């Protein structure tokens, strides 16, 4: 009996030792406790946008891949889409034991802000989905941060949709403050679009309302191609442009695979620069695009059609060598703790049309913030979020990746019955909460 007790105690202590400390934001950097944390990660969505699956809902497959994550030396993965109705405990625990954090997109192709008509998708159905996904993942200490949206603004014609992205960041931060057991950073992943990347970053970091400002900003970068350099790739200019940005920045996708018209094996020379003090005064690492070989040929590995085997590509071995050869800077990497929020970019017709007055969330969605999102409804047969009335009481006006963009305005229409079913299910959740008041 004594031996059993001792064994049990040791097992508990071992489990406690394996727990990861939640990631926090201090100034323009991420921290793991008192130690600065740099993202060394990959984008992870086996099947790609053409065959979207929840990679954390299948323990056999996630365990298979975590072995290779550890070989690469990763501390983070990004997942673009999950099913919030599934159980993720086992995979999240396996990631935690491997020292790996999750960076999670809260949207799905059918639950996202439509860049062409953002007001139509900013409603209680949408809010219930993203809030329920927060509930599903806020309990895990190794959930590092949430993306409120991905590549919604992708050219000069869609900048007005940034107003709704900022509103979603506000809504999520309010929900997390009220319903989450801890604070979890919320930010945005921007497309590799030079015309408005700076304005988007400034817009999501401006204004007096702290809840409406992002906790971090990330963007895709495919400027370092082949045998390049810090200056040739324009990274020196990115550091200069963002030197006064007051919250963390990182690359949500990187790893150019093209020279001219040719797809090439990547050597990942940029890793040395990314984790040097040339960059770390402003940037906090990044996520390599992507883990599995999909139609766009960015994969580090090839997964067999029966999902039983994984073959490492040369890209995998090259990235592993670079990660092993390059250490993070000593100390805090010259991060800055006293920078001020950005100034809001000026409205320019046809160039930058985001509004500093955000849409007001409606009463039904406010109930979700106050009382919780209720049962997660998942992704199956959910239809589009463009259903029912919009969530606004008023709305004043003033990528290389191929990943599922949450601003996609070309999604297939769902059947009216499935759309109506989801709207009624969400209405039932909200109605039940109202009865409890």
């Amino acid at each position: 009996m004594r031996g059993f007790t001792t064994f049990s105690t040791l097992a508990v202590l071992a489990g406690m030792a394996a727990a990861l400390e939640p990631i926090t934001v201090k100034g323009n950097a991420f921290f793991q406790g008192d130690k600065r944390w740099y993202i060394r990660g990959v984008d992870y969505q086996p099947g790609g946008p053409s065959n979207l699956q929840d990679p954390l809902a299948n323990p056999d497959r996630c365990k298979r891949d975590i072995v290779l994550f550890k070989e690469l030396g990763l501390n983070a993965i990004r997942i673009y889409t999950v099913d919030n109705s599934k159980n993720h405990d086992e995979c999240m625990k396996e990631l935690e034991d491997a020292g790996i954090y999750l960076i999670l997109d809260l949207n799905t192709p059918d639950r996202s802000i439509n860049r062409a008509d953002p007001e139509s998708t900013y409603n209680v159905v949408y809010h219930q989905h993203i809030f329920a996904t927060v509930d599903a993942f806020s309990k895990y200490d190794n959930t590092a941060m949430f993306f409120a949206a991905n590549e919604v603004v992708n050219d000069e014609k869609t900048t007005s949709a940034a107003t709704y992205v900022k509103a979603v960041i506000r809504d999520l931060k309010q929900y997390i403050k009220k319903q989450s057991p801890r604070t979890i950073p919320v930010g945005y992943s921007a497309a590799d679009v030079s015309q408005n990347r700076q304005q988007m970053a400034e817009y999501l970091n401006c204004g007096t309302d702290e809840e409406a400002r992002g906790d971090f900003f990330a963007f895709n970068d495919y400027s370092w191609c082949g045998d390049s350099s810090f200056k040739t790739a324009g990274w020196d200019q990115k550091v200069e442009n963002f030197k006064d940005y007051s919250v963390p920045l990182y690359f949500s996708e990187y790893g150019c695979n093209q020279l001219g018209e040719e797809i090439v094996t990547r050597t990942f020379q940029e890793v040395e620069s990314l984790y040097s003090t040339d960059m770390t005064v402003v940037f906090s690492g990044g996520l390599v695009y992507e883990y599995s070989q999909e139609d766009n040929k960015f994969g580090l590995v090839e997964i067999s059609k029966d999902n039983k085997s994984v073959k490492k590509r040369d890209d995998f071995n090259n990235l592993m060598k670079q990660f092993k050869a390059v250490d993070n800077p000593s100390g805090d990497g010259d991060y800055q703790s006293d920078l001020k929020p950005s100034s809001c970019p000026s409205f320019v017709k046809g160039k930058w049309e985001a509004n500093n007055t955000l849409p007001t969330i409606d009463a039904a969605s406010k109930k979700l913030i106050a009382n919780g999102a209720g049962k997660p409804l998942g992704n199956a047969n959910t239809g589009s979020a463009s259903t029912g009335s919009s969530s606004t009481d008023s709305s004043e006006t003033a990528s290389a990746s191929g990943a599922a963009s949450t601003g996609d305005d070309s999604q297939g229409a769902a059947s009216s019955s499935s759309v109506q079913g989801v709207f009624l299910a969400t209405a039932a959740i909200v109605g039940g909460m109202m009865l409890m008041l």
Side-chain angles (χ1 to χ4, degrees), residues 5 17 75 119 123 365:
T5 301
N75 66 7
E119 184 176 5
N123 54 43
S365 294

Side-chain angles (χ1 to χ4, degrees), residues 41-58 61-62 64-65 69 74 76-83 88 102-109 137 147 150 252-253 287-296 298-301 303 307 379 401-406:
V42 299
D43 299 300
Y44 178 59
Q45 195 81 49
S50 62
N51 184 26
L52 281 176
Q53 303 173 34
D54 184 342
L56 297 181
N58 188 317
R61 294 182 189 177
C62 77
R64 172 201 67 195
D65 295 331
F69 296 165
L74 304 185
I77 59 170
R78 175 194 183 178
I79 295 179
Y80 296 90
T81 297
V82 293
D83 185 328
H88 305 96
L102 172 65
I103 298 171
L104 181 63
D105 290 63
L106 294 173
N107 295 259
T108 71
F137 284 90
F147 280 126
N150 174 52
S252 43
E253 295 176 6
L287 298 154
V288 171
Y289 191 81
E290 64 178 322
Y291 177 71
S292 56
Q293 182 80 327
E294 308 298 343
D295 293 342
N296 49 17
F298 277 86
L300 300 175
V301 304
I303 302 175
N307 284 295
N379 301 338
S401 71
S405 165
T406 58

Side-chain angles (χ1 to χ4, degrees), residues 90-410:
E90 192 169 351
C91 285
M92 288 299 292
K93 183 63 169 65
E94 290 289 332
L95 287 170
E96 181 181 51
D97 290 346
I100 297 172
Y101 290 85
L102 172 65
I103 298 171
L104 181 63
D105 290 63
L106 294 173
N107 295 259
T108 71
D110 290 328
R111 289 286 176 273
S112 59
I113 296 299
N114 184 328
R115 65 172 67 92
D117 185 14
E119 184 176 5
S120 71
T121 45
Y122 183 74
N123 54 43
V124 67
V125 176
Y126 172 69
H127 279 115
Q128 195 280 333
H129 176 84
I130 60 173
F131 292 164
T133 306
V134 168
D135 289 344
F137 284 90
S138 61
K139 62 183 178 181
Y140 305 119
D141 286 340
N142 59 325
T143 296
M145 62 197 79
F146 294 126
F147 280 126
N150 174 52
E151 300 183 7
V152 174
V153 175
N154 67 351
D155 57 26
E156 293 181 335
K157 298 178 181 179
T158 54
T159 59
S160 62
T163 309
Y164 287 85
V165 171
K166 192 165 185 173
V168 173
I169 289 174
R170 174 202 63 196
D171 302 341
L172 283 166
K173 291 178 71 170
Q174 289 178 356
Y175 187 83
I176 289 169
K177 183 177 181 179
K178 182 72 174 179
Q179 300 295 338
S180 173
R182 63 181 176 89
T183 299
I184 301 174
V186 177
Y188 175 72
S189 172
D192 190 6
V193 178
S194 60
Q195 296 98 315
N196 51 48
R197 179 172 52 223
Q198 189 80 24
Q199 292 97 321
M200 190 68 180
E202 292 170 354
Y203 177 69
L204 296 182
N205 189 41
C206 77
T208 58
D209 183 2
E210 187 276 334
E211 286 186 336
R213 299 198 303 265
D215 297 314
F216 64 89
F217 185 80
F219 60 89
N220 304 339
D221 184 271
Y222 293 93
S223 59
W224 190 306
C225 298
D227 187 15
S228 190
S229 69
F230 177 67
K231 289 188 176 181
T232 302
W235 284 15
D236 59 333
Q237 289 304 306
K238 291 180 173 69
V239 171
E240 177 65 22
N241 292 341
F242 289 105
K243 65 182 180 181
D244 296 322
Y245 203 68
S246 64
V247 297
L249 285 155
Y250 65 92
F251 293 149
S252 43
E253 295 176 6
Y254 76 94
C256 173
N257 71 345
Q258 199 163 347
L259 286 177
E261 299 298 320
E262 183 182 1
I263 302 296
V264 297
T265 298
R266 297 174 289 179
T267 58
F268 294 107
Q269 296 174 354
E270 64 264 46
V271 167
E272 181 178 4
S273 184
L274 183 57
Y275 298 99
S276 73
T277 52
D278 285 340
M279 290 288 285
T280 58
V281 66
V282 172
F283 288 88
S284 292
L287 298 154
V288 171
Y289 191 81
E290 64 178 322
Y291 177 71
S292 56
Q293 182 80 327
E294 308 298 343
D295 293 342
N296 49 17
K297 309 299 182 185
F298 277 86
L300 300 175
V301 304
E302 292 188 30
I303 302 175
S304 63
K305 291 184 178 180
D306 61 8
N307 284 295
K308 291 183 179 179
S309 64
V310 177
K311 178 184 177 182
K312 301 174 190 174
R313 303 182 72 244
D314 288 342
D315 293 54
F316 180 101
N317 295 320
N318 292 339
L319 180 61
M320 181 174 62
K321 290 176 183 176
Q322 291 287 350
F323 276 158
K324 286 184 176 180
V326 176
D327 294 325
N328 294 332
S330 59
D332 60 22
D334 296 328
Y335 94 103
Q336 301 175 78
S337 60
D338 57 355
L339 298 172
K340 304 299 182 184
S342 305
S343 298
C344 292
S346 300
F347 182 95
V348 179
K349 184 68 174 178
K351 297 288 185 180
W352 182 256
E353 299 186 358
N355 198 310
N356 293 329
T357 301
L358 301 184
T360 304
I361 194 170
D362 75 355
S365 294
K366 284 182 180 178
K367 292 291 184 184
L368 299 179
I369 293 176
N371 301 315
K375 181 181 178 181
L377 302 178
N379 301 338
N381 299 316
T382 55
S384 170
S386 300
T387 177
S389 60
S390 75
S391 184
T392 54
D393 293 328
S394 65
S395 178
E396 301 179 31
T397 58
S399 82
S401 71
S405 165
T406 58
D408 192 355
D409 56 344
S410 61

